[in-house]
Amino acid sequence: MENKQKDTLFLKMACAIWIIASLSLNGCGNRAADELPLGEVNEAPDDFPGQEMPEEISKEETSGPESSDGGEEEEGTKDELPVIGKRDVINGRMQSYLTGEWTDEKIARRRPIAVMIPNNASALPQYGLSKAAIIYEAPVEGRITRLMGIFEEYDDLGHIGPVRSSRDYFVYVAMGYEAIYCNWGLARPYVEDLLRQESVQNISAAVDGIHNPSDEAFGRLNRPGYAKEFTGYLFIDGLEKAVRRQKYKTEYDDDYVPPFTFAEEGFRAEYADAEDAVSVYPGGRTDNSGGYGVYNPYFEYNKKDNLYYRFQDGKKQTDEYDNSQLAVSNVVFQYCHGEVRDKKDYLAFGVHGEGDALVFTNGKVIEGSWKRYDGDATPAKFYDNEGKEIIFNQGKTWICNIWEEYGEFAEYK
């Protein structure tokens, strides 16, 4: 087993300086709790504009055929690998900004929804999570993690959930995807002011601290044996009604920045010279009281289909929608400075600025960094140690927020 967290003084100082400077604007990090923007406090513990394309990668604006010819994918190095540039529309379809895969043009151009989903063992299985294009995971109080699914294809789901409350660092991440943010739970003391800003277009259940509620989007399902807090769901028909009533824009802005650069259709980013990494542990293999340890989540790479399969508590983590095991093409460790805000163990993470990163794809690990300096409306971008943007393989991506101060627990083999 080999631990691969990098610990350079420069990046730590840069991240710390950025967070101290930006928290007065963003509400993440080093300020006293009573100075921070106003999420819930009574929840039981159980309970980055676009960067230039690497010079040695083709900048040709390719869009590929609507479907492959059934042949095997070609593997290439980042020195020669064709990547998706301009999205062309062919027969009403185009390549997704979030996965690189071909989808209906209307879906590809539509703003996604970002849904807050609990990851407690007592809440599983979740419904619809396998349909998320991107899953963002971060620690919350009690050293459990919470998930935020970024969905672009959700029309056939009927409902998604269960749905839980917000944390401001999730809100800032969702803003980078231009996503409509969906949550259900108390908004005080740390997200109330943030959620009422015009720049944060949200679909929120009517609870304490929510000033523009959308109750028509939410409802409860009968789940015998589950606590009431794990019975609330986002219903798609109600979501659509709420978006219309709130008069939210439903398409990406003209200056939208896609989060990833993907290998073109028919090609794989193989990173042949990178180190093998087929077992990935964001919180380590043993209990870690500082980050991901309560349920010990991890991923196992399957070279037959090039997917990373998710496990938790030693079991497959599945989707109640179709009983499939959660699986993604790419896993990212995004190291962020974090702090405990108050006696209730509320956390804060710096999701602007820069920090270390590990990208797992094709059974390899690429060491590098993330940067997000261009405001809330742009996502974090990921770079290798030469400063070139990392090329992702097409498909879904799972981003793990690694609490930098406990990063030594994150490992892979």
Side-chain angles (χ1 to χ4, degrees):
M1 179 65 61
E2 187 171 353
N3 188 312
K4 278 297 182 182
Q5 186 216 6
K6 304 193 306 306
D7 190 18
T8 63
L9 179 60
F10 172 79
L11 285 178
K12 281 181 174 292
M13 292 178 64
C15 184
I17 292 171
W18 169 258
I19 293 168
I20 293 172
S22 66
L23 289 180
S24 61
L25 299 175
N26 296 333
C28 293
N30 289 334
R31 294 162 55 193
D34 58 0
E35 298 176 344
L36 290 163
L38 304 178
E40 77 200 70
V41 297
N42 63 347
E43 184 172 355
D46 247 352
D47 236 37
F48 308 56
Q51 305 293 333
E52 292 184 1
M53 202 78 71
E55 292 182 0
E56 65 272 28
I57 296 178
S58 169
K59 296 183 180 179
E60 185 177 346
E61 295 183 346
T62 59
S63 62
E66 180 177 341
S67 60
S68 64
D69 59 8
E72 294 184 359
E73 291 179 324
E74 297 184 42
E75 294 186 336
T77 68
K78 64 176 184 291
D79 294 329
E80 60 188 24
L81 185 65
V83 299
I84 300 175
K86 175 178 175 292
R87 262 68 171 179
D88 290 334
V89 178
I90 299 177
N91 296 328
R93 296 171 66 81
M94 63 179 284
Q95 287 169 291
S96 165
Y97 294 114
L98 304 185
T99 68
E101 297 173 331
W102 288 90
T103 188
D104 185 274
E105 178 190 4
K106 293 181 180 179
I107 291 175
R109 296 190 186 280
R110 180 176 63 183
R111 292 175 61 193
I113 58 173
V115 186
M116 294 298 300
I117 299 176
N119 197 40
N120 315 51
S122 53
L124 272 55
Q126 302 103 334
Y127 188 94
L129 195 53
S130 64
K131 296 299 182 180
I134 301 168
I135 298 173
Y136 185 83
E137 180 174 19
V140 293
E141 66 282 351
R143 299 310 177 265
I144 59 175
T145 63
R146 185 155 293 179
L147 309 179
M148 181 174 69
I150 310 294
F151 296 83
E152 62 177 357
E153 298 195 41
Y154 52 80
D155 306 78
D156 296 333
L157 279 175
H159 58 274
I160 298 172
V163 180
R164 290 310 312 275
S165 62
S166 174
R167 300 294 181 273
D168 54 2
Y169 40 101
F170 284 98
V171 179
Y172 287 117
V173 171
M175 293 173 71
Y177 297 111
E178 290 193 10
I180 297 174
Y181 185 76
C182 305
N183 67 110
W184 186 347
L186 297 181
R188 295 187 176 126
Y190 298 117
V191 296
E192 178 178 11
D193 287 350
L194 179 60
L195 289 178
R196 69 191 302 180
Q197 294 180 13
E198 289 187 10
S199 58
V200 184
Q201 296 190 335
N202 60 95
I203 300 298
S204 303
V207 297
D208 194 26
I210 295 297
H211 297 266
N212 58 334
S214 299
D215 261 4
E216 66 265 47
F218 300 94
R220 295 194 181 276
L221 293 180
N222 183 26
R223 302 184 82 191
Y226 286 82
K228 185 177 180 179
E229 63 200 271
F230 301 133
T231 64
Y233 288 76
L234 176 73
F235 287 83
I236 303 306
D237 56 352
L239 165 72
E240 294 172 343
K241 292 176 183 178
V243 169
R244 288 194 296 270
R245 181 177 61 79
Q246 298 279 13
K247 298 181 180 180
Y248 290 157
K249 183 178 178 180
T250 58
E251 291 192 353
Y252 289 116
D253 291 335
D254 292 339
D255 56 355
Y256 169 72
V257 179
F260 312 118
T261 295
F262 289 105
E264 183 55 278
E265 183 178 21
F267 293 84
R268 286 197 64 76
E270 64 170 339
Y271 292 99
D273 296 332
E275 186 176 356
D276 290 339
V278 296
S279 299
V280 180
Y281 306 87
R285 290 184 296 165
T286 58
D287 181 57
N288 164 22
S289 60
Y292 278 61
V294 172
Y295 300 126
N296 296 318
Y298 62 97
F299 303 85
E300 291 286 352
Y301 179 70
N302 186 331
K303 64 181 180 180
K304 292 182 179 180
D305 58 10
N306 299 309
L307 295 178
Y308 293 84
Y309 286 82
R310 170 78 171 202
F311 294 81
Q312 192 160 282
D313 270 342
K315 303 175 184 178
K316 296 178 180 179
Q317 189 164 354
T318 60
D319 185 352
E320 188 177 28
Y321 167 70
D322 59 4
N323 295 316
S324 64
Q325 184 175 2
L326 301 180
V328 295
S329 296
N330 313 284
V331 176
V332 178
F333 285 2
Q334 182 179 353
Y335 291 77
C336 301
H337 169 64
E339 292 186 352
V340 176
R341 278 173 155 159
D342 55 32
K343 294 180 180 180
K344 295 181 181 294
D345 198 40
Y346 250 62
L347 305 180
F349 289 97
V351 294
H352 298 78
E354 64 183 80
D356 294 334
L358 298 176
V359 174
F360 302 89
T361 191
N362 204 53
K364 300 287 186 175
V365 57
I366 302 93
E367 298 184 9
S369 61
W370 64 271
K371 296 181 181 180
R372 188 186 182 192
Y373 282 114
D374 296 304
D376 292 335
T378 57
K381 304 287 279 187
F382 299 92
Y383 304 89
D384 64 21
N385 283 334
E386 296 178 356
K388 298 180 175 62
E389 189 172 341
I390 293 172
I391 308 305
F392 285 65
N393 282 300
Q394 292 188 24
K396 299 167 184 170
T397 299
W398 195 306
I399 302 177
C400 298
N401 177 341
I402 303 298
W403 191 340
E404 186 180 47
E405 285 74 8
Y406 295 88
E408 63 187 272
F409 293 96
E411 54 185 325
Y412 61 84
K413 64 177 182 178

